[in-house]
Amino acid sequence: MLILDQTGLGPYAARDVARVEALAADLRALHQGRIPAAQDLIGAPMIDRWAFVTIPASALMGHVTGHPVLGTREVLTSAVWVAAPDFGFVRTLSRYYRLGRAADATEIGS
């Protein structure tokens, strides 16, 4: 997750943006049926004895209003990519959210 504050997105923002743009380009190519051939992957690292695992990601939990699909209710967002509390928003994988007031410790999960 990137944190946006008054100084910007931080020292690695350009690298992170380039990585996301490369991922988007690869997803577009795969969606269009362009599957990498063995020779395209020759320089890719090899991972052996692999297994799929689930890793935690930052998300927001709270009461949403005006969601285009979920309406008004308690939600758990998709992964947060950019958090900008100083500017009043976050960007998840799916969309922007405007930030209202933060939950206090007694409200989390209720």
Side-chain angles (χ1 to χ4, degrees):
M1 172 176 61
L2 298 169
I3 304 291
L4 177 66
D5 61 21
Q6 299 298 328
T7 63
L9 283 174
Y12 304 109
R15 178 202 66 188
D16 293 339
V17 168
R19 286 178 174 176
V20 172
E21 287 173 341
L23 172 61
D26 290 344
L27 291 173
R28 221 175 341 278
L30 292 168
H31 179 65
Q32 294 167 353
R34 297 192 317 253
I35 308 300
Q39 64 266 23
D40 298 325
L41 298 172
I42 199 75
M46 172 71 73
I47 186 166
D48 201 15
R49 297 187 320 268
W50 60 270
F52 290 104
V53 298
T54 302
I55 60 172
S58 294
L60 289 180
M61 180 174 54
H63 187 83
V64 70
T65 56
H67 191 285
V69 176
L70 303 175
T72 299
R73 66 185 187 97
E74 298 296 315
V75 300
L76 178 64
T77 69
S78 57
V80 173
W81 287 65
V82 177
D86 291 351
F87 296 95
F89 72 86
V90 298
R91 177 60 163 96
T92 68
L93 178 61
S94 306
R95 70 189 77 259
Y96 278 101
Y97 285 89
R98 293 173 291 138
L99 294 175
R101 59 187 175 85
D104 65 39
T106 64
E107 294 177 296
I108 297 172
S110 59

